[in-house]
Every structure is written in C-alpha cells, then in structure tokens.
Amino acid sequence: MAGYFHADPAEEGQHWTGWILRRPTTHYVFALLLIACASVSSHWLLVGSLANLEEDSTVINTSGRQRMLSEQTIRLAGELMVADSAREVASLRQKLTTSRDLMRDSHKDLLARLDGMPAVNAESEPIRNAYFGGRTSLDDRLRGYFSSIDDILAAEDDAYSVNMPAYRAMVTAHRDGLLGRLDGVVKLYELQSQERLRQSEQLHVYLVMGALLLLLVEALFIFRPLVNRLTKARDDLIEQNAQMARMAVSDTLTQLPNRSGFGQRLDTLIDAQSGKDRCVAIMMMDLDRFKNVNDTLGHNAGDRVLVEVGQRIRGQLSTKDTVARLGGDEFAIILRNLSGPQDASGVAKKIISSVSRPVDIDGVEASVGASVGITIFPDTTGTASELMKCADLALYQAKNNGRGQYCFYDPVMQEVVVRKGHIADELRRACIEDHLEVFLQPIFSFETGRVEYAESLIRWRHETRGLIPAGEFIDIIDEFQMAAHLEAVVYRQVFGRLAAWREEGLDCPTITLNVSGVNLRQPDFCDRLLQSARSYSVTPSKIALEILETVFVDRGSETVISNISKLNKLGFTILLDDFGTGYASLSHLMDIPVDGIKIDKSFVQDVGQGGASEQIASSVLSLAQNLDLMTVGEGIESPDQLAYLQDKGCDYGQGYHFSKPIPMDEFEELLRMGAFGINSDHTWIRERRSGT
C-alpha cells in the first residue's frame, strides 16, 4: 500500500502511457464517446437555447405589440372624439375595434404564457409582480382600459367629445403610467431572455472546453454553425427591439418624431437649460382647409399632403431643430439657438409661406394653409406638456385672428381660458335653472305693414350682470359644445309658446330660429328638430331657420348641405343670414335650397350715402329679385334706410326703427291687442317708439 501511494512520477507516467498503448482501440472509442456526449449535450443545449430564444422573441414581440397597440388605440380614440362626419366616425370605430381586439388577444396570450410558467421562481416572479403586483395591477389597468374602449364603441355618435368620461379614462390610464408599465414588462422579458442566454452560453463554454481538450478542430467544425446561428438570432432580436423602440417615437407616415418622441426631446431640452439653448421656441401648428383635401381628393391625397408639409417644414429648419407630427394635421416644432423671439417670428413666417404653396397631387393642386402658436422657453417655464399647452393656446388665438397667422403665447390667454371656463359653468347652470330667455324681434312686411316674421334671440338673465345678449356668450356655447343645451332651451320656449298661441286661437307670425354650424354638422340634427316640433304639434311652416353662410366653409360642409336640403323638403323656411359677409355666397345660392336672404346690417347702415355698402345692398337686392328670393333688411334704424330699402324692392325690414327684441310675454300681449295686423302707416311703430 505504501508503494501505491508513494509511486515514482516517472514510473506513473510510463504506467498510464503503457495502459493507453496497450488498449488503443478501447480508449479511442472512449474518447470518441466523450466527444459524442459533449457534442450531443452541446447540440441539445443549443437547440434548447434557440427554442427559448424564439419563445422569448415571440413574447417580447407580443409585449411590444401590446404597447404599440395601446398607443394606437389612444390615438384612434382621440381622432374619434373630434370626428366630423358619420363616415369618418364609422371608419375610426372600425379601426378602434380592430386595435382593441388585437390588444386584448395579446393580453390573453401573455397571461396564458404566465399561467404556463412555474408558480414562483426567479424568472416568473418579477413578471408576475409586474402584471399583478401593486395597488392597481397592470392586469387591472388593462382590463379597465379595454372597458373604456368598449364604452366608447358602445356610445352614440353624438356623444363623442374630448370630455367623454370613457375617453378621459383612457387618457388618465396613459398618463398614470400604463405605457411605462407595458415598457417595464417588455424590459423584464428582455432581461429574462438575456439571463437565459447568459446561462446557456456559460454552460456551453464548459462543454466546448471539455471537447476541445480531446479534439479541438473537430469541436470547432461541430459547433461553429450552431454558434453562428445563435449569434445571428441574438443580433436579430436586438435589432427588432431597437426597431420597435424607434417605431414607438416615430410617425409611420411622415417618418418624423411622433408626440411621444417630441415630448422626450423637449424634456431633454428642458433638463439641459444651459448654453445656447437658453432661448428656445416651441411651436404648435395645424393646417387650415386640410379637411377639404380629404373630402375632395381622398385620404390618400391627404396623406401625401401631410408628408409634403413635413418635408417643407423640415426645409425651413436647421439641423439642430426638430419637427414632429403629433397626429392628424397637427405638427410641433422646436427651434434652438435663438437670439430672441424675433428669430422665431421669421421662421414662423417662412413655414406659413412654404406650407401655403399648392401641393401637386397627380396633376391636381391641393391647397392648404397653416396657423402657428409660439411660446418661448425659458420666458415661459414648465414641463414639456405645459409648454405645449401654452403653444396650443397661442395657436388657438392665431386661428381666431383669421388663420394663416402666427401668435406668441401671453399669460393673459390662460386667464381667458379660465374665464371662459367659469362662464361656461355659469351657462350650464343657467340652462338648468332656466335663466336663459327667448326674446322676439318683429320683422315687418313692406308690402302689407304686417308683422309676418319674428326672430328669436336668446338672452341670459344673469344674477349680477343683468340681461346679457347672445353675442357675448355664443362663442362659449360653440367652444364648450353646449349647443345641445341651448337648443333644448330655445325649442322648449318657442315651440311651447307657439302651441299655447295656437290653442288660444292667436294668429302669430312665423318664428325664425338661428341655427349654429355645430348643430348643422350633426347628422341627427334634422330628426331632433322635427321631433321637438312634433312634440308640441308645431308645423314646419311656422318655423324659419336662419343660417350663417360661414358654416359652408367649415368642416363637415357636406353634412350641413344635406341637413339643409332635408329641412327644406320637410317644409321649414330657409333664410341665409348676414348675406354678403361670408364666402362664396353665389355658389351657396346654387348648391342649397334657400327661400330668402337677410342683408347684413353693416350694408344697411350706410345706404343712401352713395358708398360701397349701398352698391352691395342694391346688388344683393337685384340678385335676390332675379332668383325669386324673399329679402329682409337687418339693422334698420332710420326712416332714410327704410325708404331706400323699400325703393329698391326689399320685402321685409327688421331693426330698432321698428322694435327692439322684446320678451315673449310682452310679445304675446301685443298679439292679443292685434298690434301685428295690417298696419301700413306704421302707427304701431310710432307707438312702440314713443312708449304708448
């Protein structure tokens, strides 16, 4: 035993050499078996690694698609909230349904994969916590998100607005970190994939080193193809992840940064706050008349216009500046290295001029315009979203100034928004508490002296400001989408009073209603109006509708024309109000069924003085007579104006010369007195003006 444990090394080496030489075939076969075992083990390890890698790739792609679909659904929902036509609403609803279904399927797929994982281990626990952990889990957020989409899709078309609860819930979900948590899930799966790959590579190294000790060259030939395949698969996965990251911050149509990418760049710029970037302009821009391009040339043409506009804006900027497409026809711009606001003014002018040039679409010119809102950082401070909001307020003011304009942000704009919001809240209460009251202003026939029409005008009896005319709050009605509330008030008072007069046997004039473009752009407006009239047994012949011609150049003009044609066929009288102050008036008279026109008071006030207004009034009256249309002169305040209009063949007159708008109760008393009967010498007028 002692000799065994203390053998001479030289003798031991000779012993092993002799043993190998004595049994060469056995040991050769043994060596080959070891190589084969290592090769087979490595092969199955690599096959398993590739399978895991493909599985991880599928899961990561599914998670990434979940995130992209979330971006897509919120964008589609936002476009649906401001959709202008039934066709556009239907298209967006279909797209939103498809995106929701794909997102829900991805969610189910990921949950199924989690169910297939072991209950608790180092890989599954972080992902399970990401999905089901926290006070409000990602799973609960997604289910609530899907529920919000379902509510939006189940809503009526006229319920869509940016204040819709379901849409606000979607926006809140995004703002509260839904996208961040989806990104976190993708990151966890990527880390899991990398950890698996690291472990597989480590074990693979051990096996390869063992095989190389026996036959290095053969090992290289065995494993090299599989190693190359594994490396290529890993590189492909990295490239796919990088591509998804780029897509998350890029607009697929114009290849410009999207809203998310723009926000990231602006956040970075704000955080820097140093060097030449201390003076930065943030611009918000959208296109004027872009809806007309889509309506007349199609959405493909509209897409080509958006791409061209993006390139034109890019051409006016330096390499350090940024232009992004936020969605629809809305763009955002960052101008860096400015010496002062005057630099931003110059760029804004160039952009507006460049964008306004016609775009050739297969031989057809598409013409759009641009309006720009600008805020200067750090003169205006805040987060990226707050700066963009300031630029948005400036953009809104630029549009109010006439479009094709640029405007700088002023803190007063925010005060105006707050004040408008306060007025809107008061108006909503006024509608509920019945503080809005309809007044009537008589319209006289010059031929008979009879009051044949009366225009309904809304007044707000404010508890502190007294009686407020509609002109001071009608913009609030349109901007805050309160037309339906005002519509209900007017219909209830006018139709209810007409029904009462009919039952009493009073012969009342035809009542005119001022119809807003907001209402006319709603496909169900005609049905609502007709249903309200029928509920009071009021016939369309007792109602005339006054429509501003400016509604024909706004979005949704096709729906407007369709509604007017339908109303005319139902028997409502159609009057074109403030004629001559809008656009393309003659074309409107050709396209829509109009019964009469009201000559704007701005032309009536200067008649008899030989100026341009007098010539316009005379031309309008001549045109109306040739087209066999009734004419109403508005704003008559003097006998000379009355005499001129009568001499030129005007049919009706309205204005303070006859009567101011009067409350309906007083109007009713005059009906009972017979004051609106034939009165060719205008005795009633003199009595009204003298107070008798």
Side-chain angles (χ1 to χ4, degrees), residues 666-681:
E666 183 178 343
F667 193 89
E668 182 174 309
E669 288 300 318
L670 292 170
L671 278 179
R672 290 196 178 95
M673 294 167 53
F676 295 153
I678 296 176
N679 194 10
S680 58
D681 62 352

Side-chain angles (χ1 to χ4, degrees), residues 75 79 249-262 284-285 287 290 294 299 302-303 305-307 309-310 313 322-333 388:
R75 175 180 61 79
E79 293 178 0
V249 295
S250 299
D251 174 52
T252 56
L253 175 64
T254 62
Q255 304 307 311
L256 299 173
N258 60 14
R259 183 180 292 274
S260 178
F262 184 82
M284 301 294 287
M285 187 200 90
L287 302 182
F290 178 71
N294 280 336
H299 288 276
D303 289 346
V305 168
L306 291 174
V307 172
V309 166
I313 297 173
T322 297
V323 55
R325 179 183 175 230
L326 305 186
D329 60 351
E330 187 178 10
F331 293 81
I333 301 160
M388 292 170 69

Side-chain angles (χ1 to χ4, degrees), residues 85-104:
S85 65
R87 181 174 61 185
E88 187 177 0
V89 168
S91 174
L92 289 171
R93 284 167 70 111
Q94 181 60 41
K95 292 179 181 178
L96 182 58
T97 300
T98 302
S99 297
R100 177 206 61 189
D101 293 341
L102 290 173
M103 189 175 177
R104 183 172 281 161

Side-chain angles (χ1 to χ4, degrees), residues 237-253:
L237 178 59
I238 292 173
E239 176 58 28
Q240 288 177 10
N241 291 338
Q243 184 177 359
M244 284 193 296
R246 289 192 297 270
M247 292 176 63
V249 295
S250 299
D251 174 52
T252 56
L253 175 64

Side-chain angles (χ1 to χ4, degrees), residues 7 242 514 599:
N514 289 281
I599 305 171

